[in-house]
Amino acid sequence: MVGRLVRPQELAQTGRVLPLWVEFNMVSTSLWMETEILPEAGALKGDVQCDVAVVGSGIAGLSTAYELMKRGRSVIVIDRKGIASGMTARTSAHLAPLCDDLMSEFRKLRRAEVAKLFYESQAAAVDRIEEIQTSEKIACDFLRLDGYLFQGNGMPADIFDEELADSARCRPPFRNDLAHRSDLMSPTIPR
């Protein structure tokens, strides 16, 4: 997110009486956007035969192509732009099997059984990425770390109990020894 400070003079011109206003445009930029991957890949020239054509060279497309090639298929990956230059370029490369929008919310929308299947599929994907990184000797600093849930603005305190219960139903590895520490439940905002 990129913010722009609007100066009081600009506000005076708009007729607003506020002393300060911050305007945001929701454009994310990532260091990956500055990194060109395999620039020599170039455009497809002429007719080419393959078993499977994968459209999209982001992490999903490249993962699909990798798995197909490991199973003996010939694969061509095509994309309208550079390799990994779309949504993949905007990610932090953070992998997590739990839903960003909370497992308790996922369960409310889709039922506990579907939430569990979602978790299991995401956990299997993270495991597979780790296997590939190890077997292919990819030096990418893959590291498993603990995750933490912090109370957001307007989020009720009982969300921790609900999230803990729904996460336990999915059986992800988690520790609840910090679950009720008040210093973790109330964010401190510097003034």
Side-chain angles (χ1 to χ4, degrees):
M1 179 166 38
V2 178
R4 181 176 79 84
L5 181 64
V6 179
R7 308 225 178 273
Q9 304 88 295
E10 292 178 74
L11 290 172
Q13 292 171 357
T14 64
R16 294 185 181 174
V17 186
L18 300 172
L20 180 65
W21 179 258
V22 179
E23 183 179 278
F24 288 99
N25 64 17
M26 301 300 283
V27 177
S28 65
T29 56
S30 165
L31 67 96
W32 307 119
M33 297 170 102
E34 304 291 324
T35 306
E36 192 174 18
I37 299 169
L38 284 176
E40 67 275 10
L44 185 63
K45 294 181 174 90
D47 292 338
V48 181
Q49 295 290 315
C50 64
D51 294 325
V52 180
V54 175
V55 178
S57 66
I59 191 65
L62 293 177
S63 296
T64 300
Y66 176 87
E67 296 294 346
L68 289 165
M69 288 172 51
K70 286 303 227 180
R71 287 164 177 76
R73 301 288 191 255
S74 62
V75 181
I76 294 175
V77 178
I78 56 176
D79 202 316
R80 66 179 176 208
K81 294 184 179 181
I83 296 172
S85 64
M87 287 307 298
T88 296
R90 289 168 172 75
T91 70
S92 63
H94 170 246
L95 307 170
L98 293 172
C99 182
D100 285 345
D101 294 325
L102 303 178
M103 292 305 291
S104 54
E105 291 301 314
F106 195 105
R107 176 195 43 85
K108 290 174 192 172
L109 288 171
R110 303 284 183 210
R111 299 184 334 272
E113 302 80 27
V114 176
K116 182 175 175 150
L117 287 172
F118 169 82
Y119 166 77
E120 289 170 350
S121 72
Q122 299 303 295
V126 173
D127 291 344
R128 181 64 181 139
I129 290 167
E130 185 177 28
E131 288 171 17
I132 293 168
Q133 176 265 322
T134 301
S135 69
E136 299 292 341
K137 297 175 179 54
I138 300 169
C140 64
D141 297 328
F142 184 97
L143 185 62
R144 289 189 182 256
L145 300 169
D146 290 335
Y148 297 91
L149 175 62
F150 293 91
Q151 185 177 7
N153 291 336
M155 186 184 284
D158 65 352
I159 194 69
F160 291 100
D161 294 327
E162 191 176 354
E163 192 62 15
L164 192 60
D166 281 306
S167 294
R169 285 185 195 104
C170 295
R171 298 185 198 255
F174 66 91
R175 294 173 31 199
N176 73 359
D177 56 326
L178 303 176
H180 293 289
R181 282 188 36 196
S182 61
D183 59 321
L184 293 179
M185 293 173 65
S186 303
T188 303
I189 301 170
R191 306 225 185 253

